[in-house]
Coordinates of all heavy atoms in Angstrom, one line a residue:
M1 N -4.8 9.7 -14.4 CA -4.4 8.3 -14.3 C -4.9 7.7 -13.0 O -5.3 6.5 -13.1 CB -2.8 8.3 -14.3 CG -2.3 7.0 -14.2 SD -0.5 7.0 -14.3 CE -0.1 5.4 -14.6
V2 N -5.0 8.4 -11.9 CA -5.5 7.8 -10.7 C -7.0 7.4 -10.9 O -7.4 6.3 -10.6 CB -5.4 8.8 -9.5 CG1 -6.1 8.3 -8.3 CG2 -3.9 9.1 -9.2
R3 N -7.7 8.3 -11.5 CA -9.2 8.0 -11.7 C -9.3 6.8 -12.6 O -10.2 5.9 -12.3 CB -9.9 9.2 -12.4 CG -11.4 9.0 -12.5 CD -12.1 10.2 -13.1 NE -11.9 11.4 -12.3 CZ -11.6 12.6 -12.8 NH1 -11.4 12.8 -14.1 NH2 -11.4 13.6 -11.9
S4 N -8.5 6.7 -13.6 CA -8.6 5.5 -14.5 C -8.3 4.2 -13.8 O -8.9 3.2 -14.0 CB -7.6 5.7 -15.7 OG -8.0 6.7 -16.5
N5 N -7.3 4.3 -12.9 CA -6.9 3.1 -12.1 C -8.0 2.7 -11.1 O -8.3 1.5 -10.9 CB -5.6 3.3 -11.4 CG -4.4 3.3 -12.4 OD1 -4.3 2.3 -13.2 ND2 -3.6 4.3 -12.4
I6 N -8.6 3.7 -10.5 CA -9.8 3.4 -9.6 C -10.9 2.8 -10.4 O -11.5 1.8 -9.9 CB -10.2 4.7 -8.9 CG1 -9.1 5.1 -7.9 CG2 -11.5 4.5 -8.2 CD1 -9.3 6.5 -7.3
E7 N -11.2 3.3 -11.6 CA -12.3 2.8 -12.4 C -12.0 1.4 -12.8 O -12.9 0.5 -12.9 CB -12.6 3.7 -13.6 CG -13.2 5.0 -13.2 CD -13.3 6.1 -14.3 OE1 -12.9 5.7 -15.4 OE2 -13.7 7.2 -14.0
F8 N -10.7 1.1 -13.2 CA -10.4 -0.2 -13.6 C -10.7 -1.2 -12.5 O -11.3 -2.3 -12.7 CB -8.9 -0.3 -14.0 CG -8.4 -1.7 -14.2 CD1 -8.7 -2.5 -15.3 CD2 -7.6 -2.3 -13.2 CE1 -8.3 -3.8 -15.4 CE2 -7.1 -3.6 -13.3 CZ -7.5 -4.3 -14.4
I9 N -10.2 -0.9 -11.3 CA -10.4 -1.9 -10.1 C -11.9 -2.1 -9.9 O -12.3 -3.2 -9.6 CB -9.7 -1.4 -8.9 CG1 -8.2 -1.6 -9.1 CG2 -10.2 -2.0 -7.6 CD1 -7.7 -3.0 -9.2
E10 N -12.7 -1.0 -9.9 CA -14.1 -1.1 -9.7 C -14.7 -2.0 -10.7 O -15.5 -2.9 -10.4 CB -14.8 0.2 -9.7 CG -16.2 0.1 -9.3 CD -16.9 1.5 -9.1 OE1 -16.4 2.5 -9.6 OE2 -18.0 1.5 -8.4
K11 N -14.4 -1.8 -12.0 CA -15.0 -2.7 -13.1 C -14.5 -4.1 -13.0 O -15.3 -5.0 -13.2 CB -14.7 -2.1 -14.4 CG -15.4 -0.8 -14.8 CD -15.0 -0.2 -16.1 CE -15.6 1.1 -16.3 NZ -15.2 1.8 -17.5
A12 N -13.2 -4.3 -12.7 CA -12.7 -5.6 -12.7 C -13.0 -6.4 -11.4 O -13.1 -7.7 -11.5 CB -11.1 -5.5 -12.8
T13 N -13.1 -5.8 -10.3 CA -13.3 -6.5 -9.0 C -14.6 -6.1 -8.2 O -14.9 -6.8 -7.3 CB -12.1 -6.3 -8.1 OG1 -12.1 -5.0 -7.6 CG2 -10.8 -6.6 -8.8
G14 N -15.1 -5.0 -8.6 CA -16.3 -4.5 -7.8 C -15.9 -3.7 -6.6 O -16.8 -3.1 -5.9
Y15 N -14.6 -3.6 -6.3 CA -14.2 -2.7 -5.2 C -14.0 -1.3 -5.6 O -13.5 -1.0 -6.7 CB -12.8 -3.3 -4.6 CG -12.3 -2.5 -3.5 CD1 -12.9 -2.6 -2.2 CD2 -11.3 -1.5 -3.6 CE1 -12.4 -1.9 -1.1 CE2 -10.8 -0.8 -2.5 CZ -11.4 -1.0 -1.3 OH -10.9 -0.3 -0.2
R16 N -14.5 -0.4 -4.8 CA -14.4 1.1 -5.1 C -13.5 1.8 -4.1 O -13.8 1.8 -2.9 CB -15.8 1.7 -5.1 CG -15.8 3.2 -5.3 CD -15.5 3.5 -6.8 NE -15.5 5.0 -6.9 CZ -15.2 5.6 -8.1 NH1 -14.9 4.8 -9.1 NH2 -15.1 6.9 -8.2
W17 N -12.4 2.3 -4.5 CA -11.5 3.1 -3.7 C -12.2 4.4 -3.4 O -12.9 5.0 -4.3 CB -10.2 3.4 -4.4 CG -9.2 2.3 -4.3 CD1 -9.0 1.4 -5.4 CD2 -8.3 1.9 -3.3 NE1 -8.1 0.5 -5.0 CE2 -7.6 0.8 -3.7 CE3 -8.1 2.4 -2.0 CZ2 -6.7 0.1 -2.9 CZ3 -7.2 1.8 -1.2 CH2 -6.5 0.7 -1.7
E18 N -12.1 4.9 -2.2 CA -12.7 6.2 -1.8 C -11.6 7.1 -1.3 O -10.7 6.7 -0.5 CB -13.8 6.0 -0.7 CG -15.0 5.2 -1.2 CD -16.1 5.0 -0.2 OE1 -16.1 5.8 0.7 OE2 -16.9 4.1 -0.3
E19 N -11.7 8.3 -1.6 CA -10.7 9.3 -1.2 C -10.9 9.6 0.3 O -12.0 9.7 0.8 CB -10.9 10.6 -2.0 CG -9.9 11.7 -1.6 CD -10.0 12.9 -2.5 OE1 -10.8 13.0 -3.4 OE2 -9.3 13.9 -2.1
R20 N -9.8 9.7 0.9 CA -9.7 10.0 2.4 C -9.3 11.4 2.5 O -8.4 11.9 1.8 CB -8.8 9.1 3.1 CG -9.2 7.7 3.2 CD -8.2 6.8 4.0 NE -8.7 5.5 4.0 CZ -8.0 4.5 4.6 NH1 -6.9 4.8 5.3 NH2 -8.4 3.3 4.6
K21 N -9.9 12.1 3.4 CA -9.5 13.5 3.7 C -8.5 13.6 4.8 O -8.7 14.3 5.8 CB -10.8 14.3 4.1 CG -11.9 14.3 3.0 CD -11.5 15.0 1.8 CE -12.6 15.0 0.8 NZ -12.3 15.5 -0.5
I22 N -7.4 12.9 4.7 CA -6.4 12.9 5.7 C -5.0 13.1 4.9 O -4.9 12.9 3.8 CB -6.3 11.6 6.5 CG1 -6.0 10.4 5.6 CG2 -7.5 11.4 7.3 CD1 -5.7 9.1 6.4
N23 N -4.1 13.5 5.7 CA -2.7 13.6 5.2 C -2.1 12.3 4.8 O -2.3 11.3 5.6 CB -1.8 14.3 6.3 CG -0.5 14.7 5.8 OD1 0.0 14.1 4.8 ND2 0.2 15.5 6.5
N24 N -1.4 12.1 3.7 CA -0.9 10.9 3.3 C 0.4 10.5 4.1 O 0.8 9.4 4.1 CB -0.5 10.9 1.8 CG -1.7 10.9 1.0 OD1 -2.8 10.5 1.4 ND2 -1.6 11.5 -0.2
L25 N 1.0 11.4 4.8 CA 2.2 11.2 5.6 C 1.9 10.9 7.0 O 1.2 11.7 7.7 CB 3.2 12.4 5.5 CG 4.4 12.3 6.3 CD1 5.3 11.1 5.7 CD2 5.2 13.6 6.2
I26 N 2.3 9.7 7.5 CA 2.2 9.4 8.9 C 3.6 9.2 9.4 O 4.3 8.2 9.0 CB 1.3 8.2 9.1 CG1 -0.1 8.4 8.6 CG2 1.3 7.8 10.6 CD1 -1.0 7.2 8.6
D27 N 4.1 10.0 10.3 CA 5.4 10.0 10.7 C 5.5 9.2 12.0 O 5.1 9.6 13.1 CB 5.9 11.4 10.9 CG 7.4 11.5 11.2 OD1 8.1 10.5 10.9 OD2 7.9 12.6 11.6
L28 N 6.0 8.0 11.9 CA 6.2 7.1 13.1 C 7.6 7.0 13.5 O 8.5 7.0 12.7 CB 5.7 5.7 12.7 CG 4.3 5.5 12.3 CD1 4.1 4.0 11.8 CD2 3.3 5.8 13.4
S29 N 7.8 7.0 14.8 CA 9.1 6.8 15.4 C 9.4 5.3 15.4 O 8.5 4.4 15.3 CB 9.2 7.3 16.8 OG 8.5 6.5 17.7
E30 N 10.7 4.9 15.5 CA 11.1 3.5 15.5 C 10.4 2.8 16.7 O 10.2 1.6 16.6 CB 12.6 3.3 15.6 CG 13.3 3.6 14.3 CD 14.7 3.2 14.3 OE1 15.0 2.1 14.9 OE2 15.6 3.9 13.8
D31 N 10.1 3.5 17.8 CA 9.5 2.8 18.9 C 8.0 2.4 18.6 O 7.5 1.6 19.4 CB 9.5 3.8 20.1 CG 10.9 4.1 20.6 OD1 11.8 3.2 20.4 OD2 11.1 5.1 21.2
E32 N 7.4 3.0 17.6 CA 6.0 2.7 17.3 C 5.8 1.6 16.3 O 4.7 1.2 16.0 CB 5.4 4.0 16.7 CG 5.3 5.1 17.8 CD 4.7 6.4 17.2 OE1 5.4 7.1 16.4 OE2 3.5 6.7 17.5
V33 N 6.9 1.1 15.8 CA 6.8 -0.1 14.9 C 7.6 -1.3 15.5 O 8.6 -1.1 16.1 CB 7.4 0.2 13.5 CG1 6.5 1.3 12.8 CG2 8.8 0.7 13.5
G34 N 7.0 -2.4 15.3 CA 7.6 -3.6 15.8 C 8.1 -4.6 14.8 O 7.7 -4.5 13.6
N35 N 9.0 -5.5 15.2 CA 9.5 -6.5 14.3 C 8.4 -7.3 13.7 O 7.6 -7.8 14.5 CB 10.5 -7.4 15.0 CG 11.4 -8.2 14.1 OD1 11.7 -7.7 13.0 ND2 11.7 -9.4 14.5
G36 N 8.3 -7.4 12.4 CA 7.2 -8.2 11.8 C 6.0 -7.4 11.4 O 5.0 -7.9 10.8
D37 N 5.9 -6.1 11.8 CA 4.7 -5.3 11.4 C 4.6 -5.3 9.9 O 5.6 -5.2 9.2 CB 4.8 -3.8 11.9 CG 4.6 -3.7 13.4 OD1 4.2 -4.7 14.0 OD2 4.7 -2.6 13.9
F38 N 3.4 -5.4 9.4 CA 3.1 -5.4 8.0 C 2.6 -4.1 7.5 O 1.9 -3.4 8.1 CB 1.9 -6.5 7.8 CG 1.4 -6.5 6.3 CD1 2.2 -7.1 5.3 CD2 0.2 -5.9 6.0 CE1 1.7 -7.2 4.0 CE2 -0.3 -6.0 4.7 CZ 0.5 -6.6 3.7
L39 N 3.2 -3.7 6.3 CA 2.8 -2.5 5.6 C 2.2 -2.8 4.3 O 2.8 -3.5 3.5 CB 4.0 -1.5 5.4 CG 4.8 -1.2 6.7 CD1 6.1 -0.6 6.3 CD2 4.0 -0.4 7.6
A40 N 1.0 -2.3 4.0 CA 0.3 -2.5 2.7 C 0.5 -1.3 1.9 O 0.2 -0.2 2.4 CB -1.1 -2.9 2.9
I41 N 1.0 -1.4 0.7 CA 1.3 -0.2 -0.1 C 0.5 -0.2 -1.4 O 0.4 -1.3 -2.1 CB 2.8 -0.2 -0.5 CG1 3.6 -0.3 0.8 CG2 3.2 1.0 -1.4 CD1 5.1 -0.7 0.6
T42 N -0.1 0.9 -1.7 CA -0.8 1.0 -3.0 C -0.4 2.3 -3.7 O -0.5 3.4 -3.1 CB -2.4 1.0 -2.8 OG1 -2.7 -0.2 -2.3 CG2 -3.1 1.2 -4.1
R43 N 0.0 2.2 -4.9 CA 0.3 3.4 -5.7 C -0.7 3.3 -6.9 O -0.9 2.2 -7.4 CB 1.7 3.4 -6.2 CG 2.8 3.4 -5.1 CD 4.2 3.3 -5.8 NE 5.1 3.1 -4.7 CZ 5.7 1.9 -4.5 NH1 5.3 0.8 -5.2 NH2 6.6 1.7 -3.5
F44 N -1.3 4.4 -7.3 CA -2.2 4.3 -8.4 C -1.5 4.6 -9.7 O -1.7 5.6 -10.4 CB -3.4 5.3 -8.2 CG -4.2 4.9 -7.0 CD1 -4.0 5.5 -5.8 CD2 -5.2 4.0 -7.2 CE1 -4.8 5.1 -4.7 CE2 -6.0 3.5 -6.1 CZ -5.8 4.1 -4.9
D45 N -0.5 3.7 -10.0 CA 0.3 3.8 -11.2 C 0.0 2.8 -12.3 O 0.7 2.8 -13.3 CB 1.8 3.6 -10.7 CG 2.0 2.2 -10.1 OD1 1.1 1.4 -10.0 OD2 3.2 2.0 -9.7
G46 N -1.0 2.0 -12.1 CA -1.4 1.0 -13.1 C -0.8 -0.3 -12.8 O -1.5 -1.3 -12.8
L47 N 0.5 -0.4 -12.4 CA 1.1 -1.7 -12.1 C 0.5 -2.3 -10.8 O 0.1 -3.5 -10.8 CB 2.6 -1.5 -11.9 CG 3.4 -2.8 -11.5 CD1 3.2 -3.9 -12.5 CD2 4.8 -2.5 -11.2
D48 N 0.3 -1.5 -9.8 CA -0.3 -2.0 -8.6 C -1.7 -2.5 -8.8 O -2.1 -3.4 -8.2 CB -0.3 -0.9 -7.5 CG 1.0 -0.8 -6.8 OD1 2.0 -1.4 -7.2 OD2 1.1 -0.1 -5.7
Q49 N -2.4 -1.8 -9.7 CA -3.8 -2.2 -10.0 C -3.8 -3.6 -10.7 O -4.7 -4.4 -10.4 CB -4.5 -1.2 -10.8 CG -4.9 0.0 -10.0 CD -3.8 0.8 -9.4 OE1 -2.9 1.3 -10.1 NE2 -3.7 0.9 -8.0
I50 N -2.8 -3.9 -11.5 CA -2.7 -5.2 -12.2 C -2.4 -6.2 -11.1 O -3.0 -7.3 -11.1 CB -1.7 -5.2 -13.3 CG1 -2.1 -4.3 -14.4 CG2 -1.4 -6.6 -13.8 CD1 -3.4 -4.6 -15.1
I51 N -1.6 -5.9 -10.1 CA -1.2 -6.8 -9.0 C -2.5 -7.0 -8.2 O -2.8 -8.2 -7.8 CB -0.1 -6.3 -8.2 CG1 1.2 -6.3 -9.0 CG2 0.1 -7.1 -6.9 CD1 2.3 -5.5 -8.3
E52 N -3.2 -6.0 -7.9 CA -4.5 -6.1 -7.1 C -5.5 -7.0 -7.8 O -6.1 -7.9 -7.2 CB -5.1 -4.7 -6.9 CG -4.3 -3.8 -6.0 CD -4.9 -2.4 -5.9 OE1 -6.1 -2.2 -6.1 OE2 -4.1 -1.5 -5.8
W53 N -5.7 -6.8 -9.1 CA -6.6 -7.6 -9.9 C -6.2 -9.0 -9.9 O -7.0 -10.0 -9.7 CB -6.7 -7.0 -11.3 CG -7.5 -7.8 -12.2 CD1 -8.9 -8.0 -12.2 CD2 -7.0 -8.6 -13.3 NE1 -9.2 -8.9 -13.2 CE2 -8.1 -9.2 -13.9 CE3 -5.7 -8.8 -13.8 CZ2 -7.9 -10.1 -15.0 CZ3 -5.6 -9.6 -14.9 CH2 -6.7 -10.2 -15.5
G54 N -4.9 -9.3 -10.1 CA -4.4 -10.6 -10.3 C -4.4 -11.4 -9.0 O -4.6 -12.6 -9.0
T55 N -4.2 -10.7 -7.8 CA -4.1 -11.4 -6.6 C -5.4 -11.4 -5.7 O -5.5 -12.1 -4.7 CB -2.9 -10.8 -5.7 OG1 -3.2 -9.5 -5.4 CG2 -1.6 -11.0 -6.4
G56 N -6.3 -10.4 -6.1 CA -7.5 -10.3 -5.3 C -7.2 -9.4 -4.1 O -8.1 -9.4 -3.1
S57 N -6.1 -8.7 -4.0 CA -5.7 -7.9 -2.9 C -6.2 -6.5 -3.1 O -6.6 -6.1 -4.1 CB -4.2 -7.9 -2.7 OG -3.8 -7.1 -1.7
H58 N -6.1 -5.7 -2.0 CA -6.3 -4.2 -2.1 C -5.0 -3.5 -2.0 O -5.0 -2.3 -1.6 CB -7.3 -3.8 -1.0 CG -8.7 -4.4 -1.3 ND1 -9.6 -3.8 -2.1 CD2 -9.2 -5.5 -0.8 CE1 -10.7 -4.6 -2.1 NE2 -10.5 -5.6 -1.3
S59 N -3.9 -4.1 -2.2 CA -2.6 -3.5 -2.2 C -1.8 -4.0 -3.3 O -2.0 -5.2 -3.8 CB -1.9 -3.7 -0.8 OG -1.5 -5.0 -0.6
G60 N -0.8 -3.2 -3.7 CA 0.0 -3.7 -4.8 C 1.4 -4.2 -4.4 O 2.0 -5.1 -5.0
H61 N 1.8 -3.8 -3.2 CA 3.1 -4.2 -2.7 C 2.9 -4.4 -1.2 O 2.0 -3.9 -0.6 CB 4.2 -3.2 -2.9 CG 4.6 -3.1 -4.3 ND1 3.9 -2.4 -5.3 CD2 5.7 -3.6 -5.0 CE1 4.5 -2.5 -6.5 NE2 5.6 -3.2 -6.3
S62 N 3.8 -5.2 -0.6 CA 3.8 -5.4 0.8 C 5.2 -5.2 1.3 O 6.2 -5.4 0.6 CB 3.2 -6.8 1.2 OG 4.0 -7.8 0.6
A63 N 5.3 -4.8 2.6 CA 6.6 -4.7 3.2 C 6.4 -5.1 4.7 O 5.3 -5.1 5.2 CB 7.1 -3.3 3.1
V64 N 7.5 -5.4 5.3 CA 7.5 -5.7 6.8 C 8.6 -5.0 7.4 O 9.6 -4.6 6.8 CB 7.6 -7.3 7.1 CG1 6.4 -8.0 6.6 CG2 8.9 -7.8 6.5
I65 N 8.4 -4.7 8.7 CA 9.5 -4.1 9.5 C 10.4 -5.3 10.0 O 9.9 -6.3 10.5 CB 8.9 -3.4 10.8 CG1 7.9 -2.3 10.3 CG2 10.0 -2.9 11.7 CD1 8.5 -1.2 9.5
F66 N 11.6 -5.1 9.9 CA 12.6 -6.2 10.2 C 13.7 -5.5 11.1 O 14.4 -4.6 10.7 CB 13.2 -6.8 9.0 CG 14.2 -7.9 9.2 CD1 13.8 -9.0 9.8 CD2 15.5 -7.7 8.8 CE1 14.8 -10.1 10.0 CE2 16.5 -8.7 9.0 CZ 16.1 -9.9 9.6
K67 N 13.7 -6.0 12.4 CA 14.8 -5.4 13.3 C 15.8 -6.5 13.4 O 15.6 -7.6 13.8 CB 14.1 -5.1 14.6 CG 13.1 -4.0 14.5 CD 12.6 -3.4 15.8 CE 11.7 -2.3 15.6 NZ 11.4 -1.5 16.8
F68 N 17.1 -6.1 13.2 CA 18.2 -7.0 13.2 C 19.4 -6.3 13.7 O 19.8 -5.2 13.2 CB 18.4 -7.5 11.8 CG 19.5 -8.5 11.7 CD1 19.3 -9.8 12.1 CD2 20.8 -8.2 11.1 CE1 20.4 -10.8 12.0 CE2 21.8 -9.1 11.0 CZ 21.6 -10.4 11.4
D69 N 20.1 -6.8 14.7 CA 21.3 -6.3 15.3 C 21.1 -4.8 15.7 O 22.0 -4.0 15.4 CB 22.5 -6.4 14.4 CG 23.0 -7.8 14.3 OD1 22.7 -8.7 15.2 OD2 23.7 -8.2 13.3
G70 N 20.0 -4.5 16.3 CA 19.7 -3.1 16.7 C 19.3 -2.1 15.7 O 19.1 -0.9 16.0
E71 N 19.2 -2.5 14.4 CA 18.8 -1.7 13.3 C 17.4 -2.0 12.9 O 17.0 -3.2 12.9 CB 19.8 -1.8 12.2 CG 21.2 -1.3 12.4 CD 21.3 0.2 12.6 OE1 20.5 0.9 11.9 OE2 22.2 0.6 13.3
T72 N 16.7 -1.0 12.4 CA 15.3 -1.2 11.9 C 15.4 -1.1 10.4 O 15.9 -0.1 9.9 CB 14.3 -0.3 12.5 OG1 14.3 -0.5 13.9 CG2 12.9 -0.5 12.0
Y73 N 14.8 -2.0 9.7 CA 14.7 -2.0 8.2 C 13.3 -2.2 7.8 O 12.5 -2.8 8.4 CB 15.5 -3.2 7.6 CG 17.0 -3.2 8.0 CD1 17.4 -3.9 9.1 CD2 17.9 -2.6 7.2 CE1 18.8 -3.9 9.5 CE2 19.3 -2.6 7.6 CZ 19.7 -3.2 8.7 OH 21.0 -3.2 9.1
V74 N 13.0 -1.6 6.6 CA 11.7 -1.9 5.9 C 12.1 -2.7 4.7 O 12.8 -2.3 3.8 CB 11.0 -0.6 5.5 CG1 9.7 -0.9 4.7 CG2 10.7 0.3 6.7
V75 N 11.5 -4.0 4.6 CA 11.8 -4.9 3.6 C 10.6 -5.0 2.7 O 9.5 -5.5 3.2 CB 12.3 -6.3 4.1 CG1 12.6 -7.2 3.0 CG2 13.4 -6.1 5.1
E76 N 10.7 -4.6 1.4 CA 9.5 -4.6 0.5 C 9.6 -5.8 -0.4 O 10.7 -6.2 -0.8 CB 9.5 -3.3 -0.3 CG 8.3 -3.3 -1.2 CD 8.2 -2.0 -2.0 OE1 9.1 -1.2 -1.9 OE2 7.2 -1.9 -2.8
S77 N 8.5 -6.5 -0.6 CA 8.5 -7.6 -1.6 C 7.9 -7.1 -2.9 O 7.3 -6.1 -3.0 CB 7.6 -8.7 -1.1 OG 6.3 -8.4 -1.0

């Protein structure tokens, strides 16, 4: 499925995703993220690729860090 989604994006937009040889998990502390920080999210599930194609983006979802009353939230659109 991942390969098919990568091929779809390449054919539809000309962009080619490349595999990274890094760990997918990046563990950040609350001190390392700030209010309003942007997070770009891509899942190779087919839906995100339709969003990428339709919007011209390289991400399927977006989220921001929102700090309110001493609490930190991740708000996804």
Side-chain angles (χ1 to χ4, degrees):
M1 181 175 196
V2 171
R3 183 178 303 133
S4 294
N5 288 311
I6 290 170
E7 289 171 2
F8 168 75
I9 286 298
E10 184 173 21
K11 288 177 186 174
T13 69
Y15 180 76
R16 176 74 182 176
W17 283 97
E18 295 183 21
E19 185 176 350
R20 294 182 181 180
K21 301 291 183 190
I22 61 171
N23 186 342
N24 291 335
L25 176 64
I26 299 172
D27 191 14
L28 299 174
S29 71
E30 283 192 43
D31 295 335
E32 295 176 286
V33 294
N35 195 35
D37 284 357
F38 173 75
L39 306 169
I41 303 163
T42 297
R43 298 177 194 101
F44 293 98
D45 60 0
L47 176 59
D48 278 10
Q49 285 61 59
I50 296 299
I51 294 169
E52 291 172 31
W53 171 71
T55 63
S57 176
H58 295 275
S59 66
H61 289 79
S62 58
V64 294
I65 302 297
F66 180 63
K67 295 189 177 193
F68 183 75
D69 286 341
E71 296 288 331
T72 301
Y73 301 90
V74 177
V75 182
E76 183 179 1
S77 66

